[in-house]
Amino acid sequence: MKKIWDNYSYALILLAVSVIFSLVAKAHLNNEEAYITVTIEEGQSLWEIAETYASEHHLSKNEFVSWVEKENGIVGERVFPGDELVIPVRDEYVEPTQIAGAER
């Protein structure tokens, strides 16, 4: 066993660190319950949503729109009525009346 450890210790340590990093990254990325989903209504834009939730997120409007585009696979700020978008507003910051109004 000591011979294996002596020959492959760096590889084993690297493997262990990689596995731990992967698990932590996956847990962080799969934390969808930390965000809310809104359904786009007729006439709404990403900029309007950014303004609506301005006090609940810590991003500029440009950063907010870019984040929403990236995470939802949107190209050129094009959203359509009925689209459901995940937005970077944590559940604990949003009052129930805001969620209900956004999910109509």
Side-chain angles (χ1 to χ4, degrees), residues 4-15:
I4 292 173
W5 178 254
D6 290 341
N7 290 335
Y8 299 105
S9 62
Y10 293 111
L12 293 172
I13 292 171
L14 180 62
L15 178 65

Side-chain angles (χ1 to χ4, degrees), residues 23-37:
L23 292 173
V24 169
K26 185 176 180 180
H28 178 70
L29 293 174
N30 288 336
N31 195 10
E32 291 181 16
E33 66 271 3
Y35 303 101
I36 64 169
T37 301

Side-chain angles (χ1 to χ4, degrees), residues 14-86:
L14 180 62
L15 178 65
V17 169
S18 297
V19 168
I20 292 169
F21 179 75
S22 297
L23 292 173
V24 169
K26 185 176 180 180
H28 178 70
L29 293 174
N30 288 336
N31 195 10
E32 291 181 16
E33 66 271 3
Y35 303 101
I36 64 169
T37 301
V38 296
T39 302
I40 301 297
E41 296 179 8
E42 188 71 39
Q44 272 190 322
S45 69
L46 292 179
W47 294 98
E48 185 178 327
I49 293 171
E51 281 186 27
T52 301
Y53 293 98
S55 63
E56 282 93 18
H57 62 81
H58 304 289
L59 303 170
S60 70
K61 289 179 187 164
N62 286 337
E63 291 171 332
F64 179 91
V65 170
S66 294
W67 188 97
V68 172
E69 286 177 329
K70 178 183 169 208
E71 296 298 320
N72 292 282
I74 298 170
V75 177
E77 301 174 18
R78 294 185 153 237
V79 291
F80 303 97
D83 286 351
E84 290 189 349
L85 305 178
V86 174

